[in-house]
Amino acid sequence: MTTEVLFIGFLDSPHFARWTRMVLQRTDFRICLFGSSPARRINPLLQQLLVDYPNRLVISKHNPRFSVLVSIIDLVPIFGLRARLLRRCLEEKKYHLIHYFEMQHSGYLLDKVALDNKPLVAYSNYGSDIFWFSRKKSHRRKIIRTLSMTDLVFYECDRDNDFLSRHIRPAAKLVKTVNSGGLTVQKDRSFSNRDIILVKGYSNKWGRALWVLWKLAAERKQIKENYRIVMYSCDYHVPLLAAFWGRLVGIKVKCHIKGTLTHSETLDLFNDAIMHIAVSRSDGVPSSTLEAMQGGAIPIQSKTACMEDWIDNGRTGFLIEREGTELLSAFRRILHDPAFREYAARQNQVIIRDRHDSKLVGERVAAAYKDLLSKCN
């Protein structure tokens, strides 16, 4: 008998797409997709998977066609259009498993759907789902209520373990793994002759990319003579402000707006960068930082992401305070210590190969699904 599974998540997300690919490759599930965010775009990888697995992967016919409009209408709580559509999806077919990816859009959405007999429920704990939002009373209540119906949790950060353990179902299981479906490990590459200083361009509720630029002004002479600054996944206002900063300090900054680079083009940047700087107010295990490490870029990562398991501070990269002074000392060490760069880059590739290979992650995830589903057979 084919296992029928409903995935509720961001259809435009590369993480969601890679997880879906991993599950299709490692199981015989038939997966139906339901979008939980306003985005209308479907990730290119997900589009390809729909072509490659026509009998095992479909988008629900109840998935909102005018997703942005539905989200606007749902700002008035009494309407709940997306939840009504999800309810129709669940009433139309008997699913063995529902897996919601991310709490605030997907989990809360599922919580609104009142069914007499919900199937087994799994949850992928994204970035700040628990760490950040559980501090807020209104969110905390929703999170606890949603977790109380959850049978399996995939989580990345030990910091969330205690909260999750206290609020999931008594017999539920926690599985620690990355939420991006793992990486296809690449062959060794040269770490010399790199001239790109790569900065993650988030500058919004979470990101601190512009703060990074202002700090790097202290090293403008060194940068101008020998290096290039490239920012990727930039929010829309970042290029204008980065250009203003560049005129002040005499350095041109290349900016790529979020969504304008393909995944392959982003990987090329990681492969050419000497370092990867990512500073945020809150995050989980950033897939971009792991991919940069695999590409040979030395990570400078804020401690607000749970990267302690991945970065040996001062040996394979740097963990800095969100707005601390360590950024410049880490920056200088990477630029001026070639022996450190070589050691860190090679060690990071070993770490990714041993812990983040898509085959290893896929086997762990498939085993967790199998164990959960065996309980209801």
Side-chain angles (χ1 to χ4, degrees), residues 69-88:
L69 178 61
V70 168
S71 295
I72 293 172
I73 294 172
D74 278 351
L75 291 174
V76 182
I78 61 171
F79 290 114
L81 289 183
R82 195 180 297 269
R84 293 184 192 181
L85 292 169
L86 177 58
R87 184 180 294 109
R88 289 180 190 174

Side-chain angles (χ1 to χ4, degrees), residues 247-280:
R247 285 195 292 271
L248 286 179
V249 302
I251 299 173
K252 186 176 181 180
V253 181
K254 175 70 173 178
C255 292
H256 298 282
I257 297 289
K258 190 185 306 179
T260 57
L261 291 178
T262 66
H263 186 237
S264 177
E265 289 169 335
T266 305
L267 291 180
D268 288 341
L269 280 178
F270 295 152
N271 295 340
D272 293 336
I274 190 172
M275 70 180 75
H276 176 268
I277 306 175
V279 179
S280 63

Side-chain angles (χ1 to χ4, degrees), residues 24 30-31 48-59:
L24 287 168
R30 187 174 188 275
I31 302 171
Q48 186 59 49
L49 292 173
L50 289 163
V51 174
D52 294 342
Y53 296 89
N55 299 318
R56 293 182 52 210
L57 183 67
V58 296
I59 296 178

Side-chain angles (χ1 to χ4, degrees), residues 85-102:
L85 292 169
L86 177 58
R87 184 180 294 109
R88 289 180 190 174
C89 176
L90 290 168
E91 290 173 343
E92 184 176 84
K93 179 187 287 189
K94 178 177 172 56
Y95 291 97
H96 300 94
L97 172 68
I98 301 172
H99 189 154
Y100 63 97
F101 296 76
E102 191 265 353

Side-chain angles (χ1 to χ4, degrees), residues 340-375:
F340 165 76
R341 290 200 304 271
E342 182 76 15
Y343 172 81
R346 296 203 178 279
Q347 284 298 112
N348 286 335
Q349 288 204 320
V350 172
I351 290 169
I352 299 301
R353 184 191 65 211
D354 292 348
R355 297 181 53 200
H356 199 19
D357 178 68
S358 57
K359 182 179 179 181
L360 298 174
V361 176
E363 290 172 351
R364 188 182 310 130
V365 169
Y369 279 138
K370 183 178 179 180
D371 181 60
L372 176 64
L373 290 164
S374 68
K375 295 176 181 178

Side-chain angles (χ1 to χ4, degrees), residues 215-327:
K215 296 296 288 186
L216 292 182
E219 294 294 317
R220 54 187 174 274
K221 182 178 180 181
Q222 173 80 357
I223 296 170
K224 188 174 182 179
E225 292 176 354
N226 301 293
Y227 300 96
R228 297 178 289 148
I229 296 179
V230 177
M231 304 180 77
Y232 74 101
S233 287
C234 295
D235 292 301
Y236 288 103
H237 64 283
V238 169
L240 180 62
L241 295 175
F244 174 71
W245 176 88
R247 285 195 292 271
L248 286 179
V249 302
I251 299 173
K252 186 176 181 180
V253 181
K254 175 70 173 178
C255 292
H256 298 282
I257 297 289
K258 190 185 306 179
T260 57
L261 291 178
T262 66
H263 186 237
S264 177
E265 289 169 335
T266 305
L267 291 180
D268 288 341
L269 280 178
F270 295 152
N271 295 340
D272 293 336
I274 190 172
M275 70 180 75
H276 176 268
I277 306 175
V279 179
S280 63
R281 290 185 173 90
S282 179
D283 207 341
V285 175
S287 296
S288 54
T289 298
L290 298 181
E291 289 177 321
M293 290 165 63
Q294 180 183 238
I298 311 303
I300 300 177
Q301 177 70 51
S302 57
K303 292 180 180 178
T304 47
C306 50
M307 289 294 291
E308 294 83 0
D309 289 348
W310 297 88
I311 297 173
D312 185 354
N313 193 22
R315 289 174 57 82
T316 62
F318 296 94
L319 298 169
I320 65 172
E321 296 297 336
R322 189 177 73 193
E323 294 184 358
T325 59
E326 309 101 312
L327 173 62

Side-chain angles (χ1 to χ4, degrees), residues 80-146:
L81 289 183
R82 195 180 297 269
R84 293 184 192 181
L85 292 169
L86 177 58
R87 184 180 294 109
R88 289 180 190 174
C89 176
L90 290 168
E91 290 173 343
E92 184 176 84
K93 179 187 287 189
K94 178 177 172 56
Y95 291 97
H96 300 94
L97 172 68
I98 301 172
H99 189 154
Y100 63 97
F101 296 76
E102 191 265 353
M103 178 64 73
Q104 280 65 51
H105 294 81
S106 305
Y108 294 176
L109 176 64
L110 181 60
D111 180 55
K112 293 176 182 177
V113 179
L115 293 177
D116 293 333
N117 295 301
K118 271 196 177 83
L120 293 168
V121 176
Y123 160 49
S124 286
N125 173 27
Y126 278 17
S128 301
D129 284 5
I130 304 298
F131 178 68
W132 183 270
F133 287 100
S134 65
R135 306 173 189 179
K136 305 175 186 299
K137 288 184 179 180
S138 59
H139 281 280
R140 188 181 181 89
R141 288 193 295 269
K142 293 178 183 177
I143 291 169
I144 291 173
R145 190 170 62 240
T146 306

